[in-house]
Amino acid sequence: MVINQEKALAEKVRNDFPILQRKVNGKPLIYFDNAEASQKPSIVINTLKDYYEQHNSSVHTSMHVLGKETTEAYEGARSKLAKFINAASPQEIIFTRNTTEGINLVANDWGINNLTAGDEIIMRL
């Protein structure tokens, strides 16, 4: 019974990703190179499409209606994420382009100010 439930869940999740509907050499596409580029579910693709078609503007720098909409959406996402992970405030959330940028940000700010010779850092990615 558990195996069938897991298979049903896997198929449901797989169906959320349009690219995974492709067949390669006659078999369903399986994608493991997530460190390089992760595949996007339909909801992300549709949200990005809407953004670029209806709201594309700079965050925090534009005074016109598109800039205001973009900034509100950006800060709204920060607030939702803070609530989701139970952060003390949305200001604790920092968006970066990727994991490497995030790690470098921590290393170059917090690390320089808090670590000393001989300290050890253990990371689990």
Side-chain angles (χ1 to χ4, degrees), residues 19-124:
I19 199 165
L20 297 180
Q21 306 314 305
R22 287 191 56 190
K23 290 193 183 273
V24 177
N25 299 322
K27 296 182 180 178
L29 174 66
I30 298 174
Y31 188 85
F32 288 120
D33 197 11
N34 293 313
E36 179 62 29
S38 61
Q39 299 305 324
K40 310 295 185 270
S42 295
I43 193 165
V44 170
I45 294 168
N46 295 337
T47 300
L48 285 170
K49 182 178 184 292
D50 177 69
Y51 167 76
Y52 284 116
E53 289 179 350
Q54 302 296 322
H55 311 283
N56 188 27
S57 183
S58 296
V59 174
H60 295 129
T61 60
S62 300
M63 300 303 291
H64 49 74
V65 69
L66 296 178
K68 184 178 181 205
E69 291 171 354
T70 300
T71 299
E72 287 173 358
Y74 184 89
E75 291 303 331
R78 185 191 309 273
S79 293
K80 286 178 186 176
L81 181 58
K83 186 176 180 180
F84 181 73
I85 65 169
N86 201 28
S89 87
Q91 286 65 42
E92 291 184 355
I93 306 301
I94 299 171
F95 294 122
T96 61
R97 289 180 293 247
N98 53 47
T99 303
T100 301
E101 183 183 35
I103 291 169
N104 287 338
L105 180 64
V106 170
N108 287 308
D109 185 38
W110 182 87
I112 287 173
N113 293 308
N114 293 282
L115 297 175
T116 59
D119 286 347
E120 293 184 24
I121 298 173
I122 299 172
M123 293 177 36
R124 182 175 187 270

